[in-house]
Amino acid sequence: EIDMTRMSLTADNIRDGVIDMAKIWLRLNKEYSVGYRTVLVAGNDDMGGIVTWCADDINSYDVEFSAENELRHSADQQREDFLQAYQLGLFADERGIVSKEIKRRAWELFQTGEFSEVADIEDQQRKNAQYEVVQFQSGITPQEDQYADDEVHLEEHLKFALSQDYRLLKSKMPNWAALFDEHIAQHRAKIQQRIQQQQMQQMAMMQQANMQRGQ
């Protein structure tokens, strides 16, 4: 706890220095910038990331961070906050299901021993799915992986499908994007097939149970 406090104070000093530097840059640009400039202020997937500005647009030197210093919260405090959010149902979807990402975060926070192997397997599945995306971006169709977790792969692939990088790929290399779309469809088909098989098994078990009652 003492070490975390010291690190937190150091981080706060660094953040204060970044803010002071940002204020200086604003003043310099207000006084010396000529004409209009266009900057990217966020990642590729932020639709509002492109900003065109000039010196006259700078009317304040107030700067603040949108995120707090995480070092201020100890591991115990993070676990307590997580439990409170979980009890409030903030991590569940409309069906009351908690996603695998949230479960992975819980494993990390609570260091649940034997579950780390499960997390490691899922991490590897995600890495494999991300590597497949890289292959598609290079025009390479990855070989079918019999050990792939279709749900995890589909989730990772959809993240790319909703990104600006995919839109650029579809614009520049539509054939490559089509192969990627087909790959996603294959994952969905496998998931649907598995669901149907489970439903058929449940129906067979119910019919067998009803027959046994009738006897």
Side-chain angles (χ1 to χ4, degrees), residues 152-168:
V152 175
H153 276 241
L154 179 60
E155 182 180 350
E156 289 299 318
H157 294 342
L158 288 177
K159 288 179 182 179
F160 174 72
L162 297 172
S163 69
Q164 178 67 18
D165 290 336
Y166 171 76
R167 289 188 284 272
L168 292 174

Side-chain angles (χ1 to χ4, degrees), residues 44-123:
N44 291 335
D45 295 330
D46 191 337
M47 299 303 294
I50 302 298
V51 176
T52 300
W53 61 276
C54 66
D56 293 336
D57 295 327
I58 302 175
N59 52 24
S60 173
Y61 300 133
D62 292 334
V63 181
E64 63 181 16
F65 286 102
S66 59
E68 294 185 6
N69 180 4
E70 294 184 0
L71 292 175
R72 292 178 178 175
H73 304 286
S74 65
D76 290 337
Q77 183 63 47
Q78 292 182 32
R79 285 191 285 268
E80 183 178 347
D81 293 342
F82 182 90
L83 283 176
Q84 289 180 355
Y86 179 81
Q87 292 170 355
L88 290 173
L90 301 181
F91 296 136
D93 59 16
E94 63 276 4
R95 298 171 297 173
I97 298 176
V98 178
S99 68
K100 291 183 179 180
E101 286 289 338
I102 298 300
K103 293 178 181 178
R104 290 176 64 248
R105 178 57 178 162
W107 291 337
E108 294 173 358
L109 283 174
F110 293 95
Q111 300 176 352
T112 49
E114 65 271 14
F115 290 107
S116 62
E117 295 183 2
V118 180
D120 290 341
I121 293 175
E122 185 170 334
D123 285 340

Side-chain angles (χ1 to χ4, degrees), residues 124-156:
Q124 188 61 50
Q125 289 281 358
R126 293 188 182 279
K127 290 178 182 178
N128 291 346
Q130 292 165 0
Y131 179 65
E132 287 183 353
V133 171
V134 174
Q135 289 180 300
F136 277 109
Q137 288 179 286
S138 303
I140 302 173
T141 302
Q143 296 181 352
E144 184 176 354
D145 185 2
Q146 61 177 325
Y147 302 111
D149 187 320
D150 293 303
E151 283 82 3
V152 175
H153 276 241
L154 179 60
E155 182 180 350
E156 289 299 318

Side-chain angles (χ1 to χ4, degrees), residues 179-197:
L179 292 174
F180 180 72
D181 294 340
E182 182 180 352
H183 184 75
I184 287 182
Q186 291 174 356
H187 280 301
R188 282 175 167 163
K190 290 180 180 179
I191 294 173
Q192 186 62 32
Q193 182 181 6
R194 189 180 303 112
I195 293 174
Q196 291 175 353
Q197 290 176 349

